[in-house]
Amino acid sequence: NNKYFVGLDPNYMYNDNPDLYYKYENISLIKTNQTNVWLKNDFKADYIILGTLTNKFAPYYDLFKDFKKVFSTDYCTVYEIK
């Protein structure tokens, strides 16, 4: 029953739902303060996984009370969205 909203090419998301793609893009570029709200309500996410290439965002998620780090390795970090 797991859902993944980004795979190899986010353009598929744009074709399916431009509004969701807009939100994904703004989350990815850290251009919103609605990250937790959008992830919870629009993407129906309970967790996010940041891989090695996206770990540059980890300090961003560490700062907010709406994200709780639940697991971390050299390869990825998992946050629970509260």
Side-chain angles (χ1 to χ4, degrees):
N1 210 6
N2 296 326
K3 296 179 182 179
Y4 303 90
F5 65 89
V6 176
L8 297 175
D9 188 352
N11 289 318
Y12 290 108
M13 184 191 324
Y14 178 81
N15 289 333
D16 187 55
N17 189 330
D19 183 53
L20 216 53
Y21 176 83
Y22 164 79
K23 290 177 179 180
Y24 164 75
E25 184 177 57
N26 280 278
I27 290 169
S28 297
L29 298 173
I30 310 176
K31 289 187 170 183
T32 180
N33 61 357
Q34 297 292 309
T35 299
N36 64 313
V37 174
W38 289 351
L39 289 171
K40 264 301 206 198
N41 298 333
D42 298 307
F43 292 99
K44 309 294 185 219
D46 294 315
Y47 296 90
I48 57 171
I49 302 169
L50 300 177
T52 303
L53 296 176
T54 55
N55 272 340
K56 63 183 178 183
F57 297 113
Y60 170 76
Y61 291 107
D62 286 340
L63 290 174
F64 295 97
K65 61 181 171 48
D66 299 316
F67 298 93
K68 177 183 174 190
K69 186 187 294 187
V70 293
F71 179 78
S72 189
T73 70
D74 292 339
Y75 304 102
C76 72
T77 303
V78 178
Y79 290 89
E80 180 180 9
I81 307 165
K82 297 181 184 178

